[in-house]
Amino acid sequence: AQTVTQSQPEMSVQEAETVTLSCTYDTSESDYYLFWYKQPPSRQMILVIRQEAYKQQNATENRFSVNFQKAAKSFSLKISDSQLGDAAMYFCAMNYGGSQGNLIFGKGTKLSVKP
Amino acid sequence: EPEVTQTPSHQVTQMGQEVILRCVPISNHLYFYWYRQILGQKVEFLVSFYNNEISEKSEIFDDQFSVERPDGSNFTLKIRSTKLEDSAMYFCASSEGKEGPSTDTQYFGPGTRLTVL
């Protein structure tokens, strides 16, 4: 069975600082894909970043980067230079080869950004 | 930028009633999905849909649930006889289908909050 675990229900960061959100996963599949989604209050989930498991290089999108540790089954999200607009619920999710789109989600981490 | 839309944003119904939740996926997308999130719990996969048929469904998606693409733009989730435990946020998503459902990025709608009384 595939599982995704986010152990931090809430996190807080000062504006302009850096914060790291944790995610661990478990799968026996060799072919899988990892995602971070952001859900601002009363808005839809949007993709922040994705990582293919076969790629060794960590994905980066502007201020967002991941630390993908395949052996440890860890997929953390680093947000640099945090902005007020980064305040949201962040979901880690996993998909795997052979599935028909069954994204498996963690419970989410609520990020607050303090001015 | 194209978005997935969902209506209504909030639906209140009596136990035992039928509800239909509506979604308009992004127009050139080929795969469609429904997820639900019970308050305080994880987002859970319900069903994926491709080429007018169900590709995969979870254990949650029992005979009370059905999906349909009644025309070229809408994608609906029907719950035949709602139960109290069906109260949740229901998310629709779609993906392009270029890489296949296991690798595609899914684009989500804002959700419909279903309250069963």
Side-chain angles (χ1 to χ4, degrees):
Chain A
Q2 344 287 329
T3 59
V4 174
T5 302
Q6 292 178 254
S7 57
Q8 306 154 316
E10 294 189 29
M11 290 282 285
S12 181
V13 64
Q14 205 72 33
E15 198 177 3
E17 297 293 305
T18 295
V19 65
T20 298
L21 309 184
S22 301
C23 173
T24 58
Y25 62 91
D26 194 19
T27 180
S28 56
E29 300 285 336
S30 57
D31 180 24
Y32 56 92
Y33 305 83
L34 299 163
F35 306 84
W36 277 98
Y37 280 90
K38 168 186 175 182
Q39 186 182 36
S42 303
R43 300 276 306 277
Q44 54 232 77
M45 273 190 280
I46 55 173
L47 180 72
V48 175
I49 201 164
R50 63 177 270 164
Q51 173 83 42
E52 291 82 357
Y54 61 83
K55 289 187 178 177
Q56 292 191 339
Q57 189 171 5
N58 289 325
T60 298
E61 285 288 342
N62 302 314
R63 298 181 296 106
F64 298 88
S65 61
V66 299
N67 183 5
F68 175 46
Q69 301 287 326
K70 194 170 182 177
K73 295 184 178 175
S74 169
F75 180 61
S76 58
L77 175 70
K78 185 170 88 169
I79 307 174
S80 304
D81 186 26
S82 297
Q83 300 174 0
L84 295 177
D86 294 334
M89 198 74 169
Y90 286 81
F91 293 99
C92 179
M94 175 173 66
N95 204 348
Y96 57 95
S99 87
Q100 294 297 312
N102 179 356
L103 267 182
I104 298 154
F105 282 85
K107 283 191 84 169
T109 297
K110 184 177 179 182
L111 179 67
S112 304
V113 181
K114 296 178 183 175
Chain B
E1 189 173 329
E3 286 187 338
V4 176
T5 59
Q6 290 185 244
T7 54
S9 55
H10 191 190
Q11 174 95 44
V12 181
T13 190
Q14 295 291 325
M15 191 170 57
Q17 295 296 303
E18 175 183 285
V19 294
I20 297 176
L21 309 183
R22 291 184 166 79
C23 168
V24 179
I26 294 172
S27 64
N28 63 337
H29 284 190
L30 301 178
Y31 285 88
F32 315 113
Y33 314 88
W34 283 102
Y35 292 82
R36 80 169 185 193
Q37 185 180 29
I38 295 171
L39 191 63
Q41 298 187 24
K42 293 186 178 186
V43 176
E44 300 172 290
F45 170 80
L46 292 177
V47 66
S48 59
F49 190 86
Y50 171 73
N51 202 23
N52 279 321
E53 44 182 52
I54 290 173
S55 306
E56 185 176 359
K57 58 183 181 179
S58 70
E59 290 175 356
I60 303 166
F61 194 88
D62 62 20
D63 292 343
Q64 293 296 311
F65 291 90
S66 62
V67 289
E68 195 179 28
R69 189 148 162 85
D71 53 42
S73 59
N74 289 282
F75 179 52
T76 61
L77 174 69
K78 183 194 292 186
I79 309 175
R80 243 178 288 282
S81 177
T82 50
K83 308 185 193 83
L84 295 176
E85 54 265 37
D86 293 328
S87 294
M89 185 73 103
Y90 288 81
F91 295 103
C92 173
S94 68
S95 67
E96 276 188 306
K98 279 184 184 175
E99 300 174 33
S102 63
T103 59
D104 274 355
T105 293
Q106 294 182 23
Y107 295 84
F108 284 81
T112 292
R113 180 167 298 285
L114 176 65
T115 302
V116 182
L117 302 176

